[in-house]
Amino acid sequence: MKFVLLLVFPLILYSPKKEVFKYTEQLCYDTALDISSESSSDANRIADSLLNYSENARQKMYALMLKSIVLEHQDKRAEAIAFSLKSLKIAKEEKDYCLESRIYTFLSRQYRNIGFIDKGKDLIAESLMVCSKIEDKDHAVKFMTMANLELIEYDIEFENYERAIVYLKTAAFSLDKEREGKIKYFDLANCEEKLARCYLQMGNDMLALNHYRKASTFINKSKLGESLWANKIYDGLIDIYLSQQELDSAKVYIQKNLLIHEKFDNNVVKEHVYKTTAEYYRQTEVRDSFELYTSKYKLTALENKENMRGMINTASNTLFNLTDDIPDASDTPYKIGAMELMFLIGIPSIGVYYQRKKLVSYMKGLIISRKLRKRSQKAYSNKTETILLARLEEFENSNGFLDNNLSLPILVAQLQTNVKYLRQIIRDHKHTDFNTYINKLRIQYIIEKLNSDPAYLNYKISFLAKESGFSSHSQFSTNFKKFTDNSPSEYISNLKSKIAS
């Protein structure tokens, strides 16, 4: 594959002008997927060769972006950002709106993954604005879809799972109607993986498993079953199978992930592969292998913490290289909601797309209206704040959060307030959102029980999940890991070891 790419790349870029547009807008998608299947060393050689042999600005622009994608796969996000910013500068000069939109989406993913959530949202807003300049209807829809698939990650980040699911199902329906090809199956795998994550977080293991299986089928149809894109899908399958103690099924995907980790130089992948492999051997009671992979996991986790600090420092410096006209996070269309942005996807499909000036005006109007409505003070009085905080404290002390039917509307009724006030109280005083606040209280409760009552150390995980108010084993395990960095079984095992010593 690598030799074919090296031969084809110059031919693509030297084609007549009409053909250059036809092929180059696909280059960073098609070729990037091909490179995704190469080992890290081969992918680097391909990307470096394309960059070295670039003879004009357009060639260099695409080569720089391919290099960024290769670096992303190696979890070198700060370097990936630097290369993509160089490509972005040329794309703006060349007025290549397709690539410009793609770069903004790519940058959004990098900043989101290292914790710069607001900046990531800014970049998606910019990507969608750039899409409005794309002349070709099909190209515009394609790059809007890419941007919206990244945008939906922010809904997942903030636990807006129902909204994310609505968009993802719509996107999957649309993608299913596209002509056959690896890009179609790659995008479908992407949709299905996100759907699976949403259902997993909502505690519906059966639906999550169904969508992970679909994602696995699609990623293999795209010929990327041994790439880093597949790793994320296999991770989800492994987590579910291990939580259900279906060890034979888990083993199949653990072996696939071990092969992927050997092929690619990515420490984040290694960390999770080592952790799940250690858990598999713990459950199968193969002590030597358990200790080996536990040791590997701990060493890699320490390395990744150090690497993340460096990436954050470097990436924060590159923020100043981005254009000043990117809208502020609080003013972006994202704040209005992913469902409203879905309308932008619908515009081209119903034939209104060509009214481009109206589309641009609509988006700018959303941003301006958001600026006008931006909050400058809290919504409630000091008296209301005091009363609500007292009621919230009473709710916590009574362990009301253990009710697994608890929801925001139910708690609003119990506290005799309204949704707006309660959301802001939780945000201002608990520094989080409603779901995270409740889940954290539940995990703190069960941790206290585990530490104070030895009987709890012998209970099944499913009992602990129910006891702490979670509706499923996997939802409990996911949140336990989120707040303690350990699975429930790991935490209990460590606690037993301390007591024994």
Side-chain angles (χ1 to χ4, degrees), residues 399-406 438-439 441-443 445-446 461-473 475-476 479:
N399 292 336
F401 50 83
L402 296 179
D403 179 3
N404 63 12
N405 293 314
L406 183 69
I438 297 299
N439 289 337
L441 287 173
R442 289 170 172 172
I443 297 301
Y445 169 84
I446 207 67
I461 302 300
S462 56
F463 173 85
L464 299 178
K466 188 175 181 180
E467 173 79 3
S468 53
F470 288 97
S471 56
S472 74
H473 181 296
Q475 194 179 35
F476 170 68
N479 280 282

Side-chain angles (χ1 to χ4, degrees), residues 193-224:
E193 187 276 332
K194 287 176 171 59
L195 278 167
R197 259 191 293 144
C198 288
Y199 284 118
L200 190 63
Q201 292 297 329
M202 293 170 71
N204 194 327
D205 289 15
M206 287 185 65
L207 275 178
L209 183 58
N210 182 43
H211 285 288
Y212 272 128
R213 284 170 174 165
K214 286 183 180 179
S216 179
T217 299
F218 287 135
I219 203 69
N220 281 290
K221 281 188 175 183
S222 73
K223 310 300 182 186
L224 294 170

Side-chain angles (χ1 to χ4, degrees), residues 141 247 453:
V141 172
L247 301 182
D453 188 345

Side-chain angles (χ1 to χ4, degrees), residues 244-257:
Q244 296 177 346
Q245 296 185 328
E246 295 183 25
L247 301 182
D248 289 341
S249 297
K251 184 179 180 181
V252 171
Y253 293 99
I254 285 171
Q255 289 174 337
K256 287 177 180 287
N257 266 355

Side-chain angles (χ1 to χ4, degrees), residues 392-444:
L392 206 57
E393 184 177 1
E394 184 180 347
F395 162 75
E396 291 177 11
N397 292 336
S398 69
N399 292 336
F401 50 83
L402 296 179
D403 179 3
N404 63 12
N405 293 314
L406 183 69
S407 64
L408 181 60
I410 289 174
L411 185 56
V412 164
Q414 288 178 5
L415 302 184
Q416 301 173 40
T417 182
N418 61 55
V419 171
K420 184 178 180 181
Y421 287 3
L422 183 55
R423 280 189 189 278
Q424 192 168 353
I425 282 283
I426 291 173
R427 184 175 66 246
D428 292 347
H429 292 274
K430 307 299 179 180
H431 311 295
T432 188
D433 57 74
F434 172 77
N435 288 331
T436 304
Y437 165 64
I438 297 299
N439 289 337
K440 187 175 182 179
L441 287 173
R442 289 170 172 172
I443 297 301
Q444 287 173 339

Side-chain angles (χ1 to χ4, degrees), residues 129 132 355-365:
M129 287 292 289
S132 69
Q355 300 179 37
R356 291 171 56 248
K357 290 184 179 179
K358 289 184 180 180
L359 174 59
V360 176
S361 175
Y362 172 75
M363 293 186 72
K364 287 182 177 177

Side-chain angles (χ1 to χ4, degrees), residues 125 128-134 144 333 343-344 347 352-368:
L128 288 164
M129 287 292 289
V130 171
C131 283
S132 69
K133 300 177 184 179
I134 299 173
M144 280 184 176
F343 178 66
L344 299 176
I347 287 174
V352 187
Y353 172 80
Y354 289 105
Q355 300 179 37
R356 291 171 56 248
K357 290 184 179 179
K358 289 184 180 180
L359 174 59
V360 176
S361 175
Y362 172 75
M363 293 186 72
K364 287 182 177 177
L366 293 178
I367 295 171
I368 291 168

